[in-house]
Amino acid sequence: MEKRTGVVTFHGKPLTLIGPELRVGDKAPDFRAVDNDLKPTTLADFAGKVVVLSAVPSLDTPVCDMETRRFNMEAQKLGDGVQILTVSMDLPFAQKRWCGQAGVQNVRTLSDYQEASFGSAYGVLIDGLRLLARAVFVVDQEGVIRFVHIVPELTHEPDYGAVLDAVRALL
């Protein structure tokens, strides 16, 4: 599996990512993760929708918490043609607990803990830590990547405005 350096840092310390560098125009790779009820879920399950894939290291950290709450709020305004998925290595039970406590109902959380299928397919699996780098991918209704934002520093939030502009351009 391909390894990439110089893409992201954690508190300034360089990390190595496993997987390919995906670009705008690439076919979005399918992946297999599990939802909060341990049900296998793939990208194909959302065919025909604009899909926002928000990869985060852990919902139990402040920045991931803020990011997922923000996307939950924005999801209400985007309508039924858009599905926002937050993917992390958190166990599905922890994701379900977090969503309940945070009141998150418009974003679906998926756990990549079993196979790291998402992380390795999207090139955001952090070598050695087995966490996902913070990144956002916007996939159009035909399954083509239309926006990629790998956040250079893990402790920073993504550019919400750019993500939302990319989504609205597809509606």
Side-chain angles (χ1 to χ4, degrees):
M1 182 73 51
E2 181 182 347
K3 292 190 177 186
R4 300 177 359 257
T5 57
V7 181
V8 298
T9 59
F10 179 57
H11 294 294
K13 180 181 176 240
L15 298 172
T16 300
L17 298 181
I18 298 172
E21 177 184 357
L22 298 179
R23 293 183 171 91
V24 170
D26 289 347
K27 178 81 174 147
D30 205 4
F31 60 87
R32 182 181 149 96
V34 293
D35 70 10
N36 291 175
D37 296 318
L38 299 175
K39 179 181 171 226
T41 305
T42 68
L43 180 62
D45 294 334
F46 305 98
K49 290 189 174 210
V50 172
V51 179
V52 177
L53 296 164
S54 170
V56 300
S58 175
L59 290 170
D60 281 325
T61 61
V63 177
C64 301
D65 178 287
M66 286 187 299
E67 177 179 338
T68 306
R69 287 175 190 261
R70 170 73 184 268
F71 280 132
N72 183 64
M73 183 184 74
E74 297 294 347
Q76 284 184 301
K77 304 171 193 171
L78 295 172
D80 292 340
V82 178
Q83 178 64 62
I84 300 178
L85 304 172
T86 294
V87 187
S88 74
M89 288 295 206
D90 295 310
L91 292 175
F93 315 108
Q95 290 181 340
K96 189 173 190 173
R97 174 193 47 78
W98 182 88
C99 287
Q101 290 175 344
V104 168
Q105 298 173 336
N106 304 311
V107 168
R108 288 189 56 185
T109 54
L110 298 177
S111 176
D112 202 25
Y113 86 101
Q114 288 180 326
E115 303 170 32
S117 170
F118 174 84
S120 56
Y122 282 75
V124 295
L125 180 62
I126 300 171
D127 192 30
L129 296 179
R130 199 169 162 83
L131 294 172
L132 302 180
R134 187 174 318 284
V136 182
F137 302 87
V138 176
V139 179
D140 71 14
Q141 297 90 331
E142 284 79 46
V144 176
I145 297 172
R146 295 299 176 195
F147 178 85
V148 176
H149 179 41
I150 308 286
V151 181
E153 168 58 46
L154 242 54
T155 61
H156 295 169
E157 291 178 80
D159 182 343
Y160 299 111
V163 173
L164 295 169
D165 287 348
V167 171
R168 288 186 191 106
L170 297 171
L171 297 177

